[in-house]
Amino acid sequence: MGFEKIKKLSVSILAVSLIFTAGRINASELRLGMAEKQQYIGNKIYNVLHPSSDSKPYKFEAPEGWTLENLTLGNVSVERLKAEKPKTARVIIQFHGGGYVNGLSEGHRLLGADQGMLIGASEVYYVHYRLAPKNVYPAALEDAAAVYRELLSSGVKPENIIFVGDSAGGNLALELSLYLKEQKLSQPAALVLISPWGTFEQTAPSRIKNSERDLVLGIKGFPLYQEVQVRKPSYAGDMKLDDPKLSPVYADLRGLPPMLIQIGGYELFVDDGISLLQRALSDDIEATLTVYPGMPHDFPLLLPELYESELSLKEFSDFINRYLK
């Protein structure tokens, strides 16, 4: 590995004991040992899947100083969280996860709001792209591209835009960036991929090794278990699973913007994140991979109260401040 490539690569393996100031808003910074953490996560996910009769579902409300409204951009429904007194011109476009079959959740709204406030963004856009199985590839990509084109047409500068995606949304954010390269359109300033679905194939070693340790995607009762672990993903349609348009671990990433990849050490997609990092390194783009020990799939979204989620948001903020004014 050449020195110049090493300089462009930042790999962080964060131990639970690592201490630095976390910046998550309205979170408790719950810090647990490994055994306690696994028990807590298991109980939390169980309660989510089996809510009690008196439990009240969380309802997102726009933070003070922000407004939330519904819009249509490029014939695609979006939600815009807008700062009344923005600190910067930064704009987040969030592509939600859910295996391409589930829609935007209240947790995604909260995560986007926290990210927007932390980096002083002016706007956060939540994209309601079309879902499978009714809409297969390239429906979601077409919707994502339409929203991005519309924002550029409205005067938003690409150097102020950040693509954020979790799970399938991470797949979509990366595939959109690849599409923009193919179409010779301007790239956003940065990509942030949380537990990205890097390949639709189900043969990576971590899909087997972490099949029981991932207390989210590895649970047979979890809504996306069948979609990710058992059957052919609905969004793939008739396409081959190793097609780079579905599985960006096989794509040419040259020319893409700086990329932050965050994954849990116990999740099914560990190898997806590692493969994306290796591809980024070989294609000479700047990338940071962080593995959070003992954490399951999509932990910043599903477990915002945990200390590791605090750390992931602090890392997100530091990463954006490194590459955007």
Side-chain angles (χ1 to χ4, degrees), residues 47-60:
N47 289 333
V48 169
L49 298 177
H50 305 87
S52 62
S53 58
D54 59 347
S55 62
K56 295 182 180 179
Y58 168 74
K59 178 65 176 177
F60 174 77

Side-chain angles (χ1 to χ4, degrees), residues 1-303:
M1 186 183 300
F3 179 70
E4 289 302 316
K5 285 191 175 182
I6 293 176
K7 287 199 300 182
K8 288 200 171 187
L9 172 66
S10 173
V11 185
S12 304
I13 307 298
L14 290 183
V16 174
S17 60
L18 180 63
I19 298 175
F20 59 79
T21 303
R24 183 170 174 77
I25 299 164
N26 295 326
S28 61
E29 294 189 14
L30 183 59
R31 301 180 68 170
L32 301 171
M34 186 63 76
E36 292 177 295
K37 184 162 56 181
Q38 300 311 310
Q39 183 176 6
Y40 178 89
I41 294 170
N43 290 338
K44 172 75 177 286
I45 300 302
Y46 180 86
N47 289 333
V48 169
L49 298 177
H50 305 87
S52 62
S53 58
D54 59 347
S55 62
K56 295 182 180 179
Y58 168 74
K59 178 65 176 177
F60 174 77
E61 294 183 3
E64 183 177 355
W66 295 72
T67 57
L68 182 66
E69 59 182 334
N70 296 313
L71 301 173
T72 299
L73 296 177
N75 293 320
V76 180
S77 295
V78 302
E79 296 177 29
R80 178 175 67 178
L81 187 65
K82 184 176 178 63
E84 295 173 3
K85 297 180 179 179
K87 298 178 181 179
T88 72
R90 297 170 178 174
V91 172
I92 294 174
I93 305 179
Q94 188 201 80
F95 303 106
H96 66 80
Y100 283 108
V101 296
N102 289 344
L104 184 74
S105 71
E106 301 291 355
H108 286 102
R109 294 183 178 95
L110 174 62
L111 182 61
D114 279 355
Q115 291 170 335
M117 287 188 285
L118 278 173
I119 66 170
S122 60
E123 297 173 319
V124 178
Y125 288 88
Y126 307 95
V127 181
H128 290 274
Y129 56 83
R130 285 171 289 169
L131 300 174
K134 181 179 179 180
N135 302 286
V136 300
Y137 179 90
L141 178 61
E142 291 173 345
D143 290 350
V147 170
Y148 183 68
R149 288 176 184 271
E150 190 74 12
L151 287 177
L152 294 185
S153 297
S154 71
V156 179
K157 296 181 179 180
E159 58 264 30
N160 291 328
I161 295 178
I162 306 146
F163 289 172
V164 178
D166 68 288
S167 193
N171 179 285
L172 179 56
L174 189 49
E175 290 294 357
L176 174 57
S177 193
L178 289 166
Y179 170 82
L180 297 176
K181 182 178 75 167
E182 181 183 279
Q183 297 297 314
K184 296 181 171 54
L185 298 173
S186 298
Q187 292 285 341
L191 301 175
V192 178
L193 313 176
I194 302 170
S195 296
W197 198 0
T199 174
F200 276 32
E201 296 174 305
Q202 298 160 339
T203 56
S206 63
R207 301 289 177 93
I208 300 171
K209 179 181 178 180
N210 287 342
S211 61
E212 294 184 359
R213 297 198 298 182
D214 188 336
L215 298 178
V216 175
L217 282 186
I219 297 178
K220 292 184 179 180
F222 195 79
L224 296 179
Y225 177 83
Q226 294 286 327
E227 196 71 23
V228 172
Q229 280 284 78
V230 180
R231 60 173 174 251
K232 183 178 181 180
S234 302
Y235 185 63
D238 295 330
M239 298 175 65
K240 294 182 178 180
L241 298 186
D242 62 352
D243 191 313
K245 289 182 171 59
L246 295 176
S247 298
V249 297
Y250 300 115
D252 180 353
L253 303 183
R254 285 175 293 182
L256 267 59
M259 181 188 310
L260 172 62
I261 306 167
Q262 297 179 326
I263 54 178
Y266 277 4
E267 73 165 285
L268 295 181
F269 291 170
V270 167
D271 288 333
D272 298 49
I274 293 172
S275 295
L276 285 174
L277 178 70
Q278 292 172 333
R279 175 64 66 176
L281 177 61
S282 66
D283 290 343
D284 202 30
I285 70 168
E286 297 188 41
T288 298
L289 168 69
T290 309
V291 181
Y292 289 78
M295 299 306 291
H297 179 71
D298 225 344
F299 65 92
L301 173 75
L302 300 172
L303 299 155

